[in-house]
Amino acid sequence: MHPSFTASATAAVEVSSTAMQQFVSERPWAIILVVGLVVIALAVGGNRYRGRPADQDSRRRFTDAQRREGTRRAGDGRCEHKLPMWLRCRRTGTHADHIYPHSKGGQTTLSNLQMLCPTHNLAKSNKIPSALYVWRLERRRTRYFPAGVSPKVEWRRGRTW
């Protein structure tokens, strides 16, 4: 890099840094305003989707065949929910649940199906699970899913977490 370019870049940074310090010292409310706008933007745009996406799956309920396959995949038919530091739920998974909620654009496919007990299904409601929850679910499924069945969660056609 040319020495004069480096010197001019350093001088520009020093000038902009000085100008920023002066701006902030004269207008302390500006910091509060910027931080407030960032917090509002994060709160409003926090979810991946709002409302119903245009390409939503037209079929909401899982078929009986999908429910039976979900129960078979869940190992001994147990609820697939697991709290962070505890064991997997011991109750029977009787509710076929969309991992990524149907109301937020989740597909009604086996790769987006988890079997939950009524308590955990109703508690989950239509909340979008975190990437950590999905990662833990996929990792846990490798222990009880039948051989040859992918534990990956595909919440929309071709989209995994």
Side-chain angles (χ1 to χ4, degrees):
M1 196 177 289
H2 196 272
S4 65
F5 178 74
T6 307
S8 65
T10 305
V13 169
E14 288 175 11
V15 169
S16 66
S17 175
T18 305
M20 182 62 84
Q21 289 173 351
Q22 182 181 1
F23 178 83
V24 170
S25 66
E26 292 175 2
R27 298 169 189 86
W29 54 266
I31 296 282
I32 295 170
L33 179 67
V34 169
V35 169
L37 289 174
V38 168
V39 167
I40 290 170
L42 290 174
V44 170
N47 282 342
R48 293 185 184 158
Y49 290 100
R50 296 257 182 218
R52 293 181 166 257
D55 61 343
Q56 185 174 23
D57 192 353
S58 61
R59 192 168 43 91
R60 163 88 174 76
R61 299 180 65 83
F62 290 102
T63 64
D64 288 339
Q66 287 174 320
R67 293 170 62 86
R68 280 191 302 275
E69 179 62 17
T71 302
R72 184 183 79 84
R73 288 182 178 191
D76 51 3
R78 282 175 46 196
C79 174
E80 292 190 75
H81 182 77
K82 180 183 175 211
L83 294 172
M85 300 303 287
W86 303 102
L87 300 173
R88 185 174 159 199
C89 179
R90 295 197 177 276
R91 287 176 275 187
T92 303
T94 56
H95 289 203
D97 176 61
H98 291 82
I99 298 168
Y100 194 94
H102 182 266
S103 62
K104 309 279 176 143
Q107 295 290 84
T108 306
T109 59
L110 282 172
S111 58
N112 191 35
L113 167 72
Q114 68 179 341
M115 295 305 291
L116 295 177
C117 66
T119 303
H120 288 126
N121 186 33
L122 295 174
K124 179 184 173 278
S125 184
N126 73 335
K127 296 179 188 114
I128 297 173
S130 67
L132 177 63
Y133 177 87
V134 174
W135 175 78
R136 290 177 63 236
L137 176 65
E138 290 173 346
R139 195 162 172 234
R140 189 169 56 250
R141 283 178 164 185
T142 60
R143 292 186 216 128
Y144 58 82
F145 258 37
V149 176
S150 174
K152 286 300 251 184
V153 173
E154 185 179 46
W155 62 278
R156 295 238 320 256
R157 279 181 232 112
R159 292 188 182 177
T160 57
W161 241 260

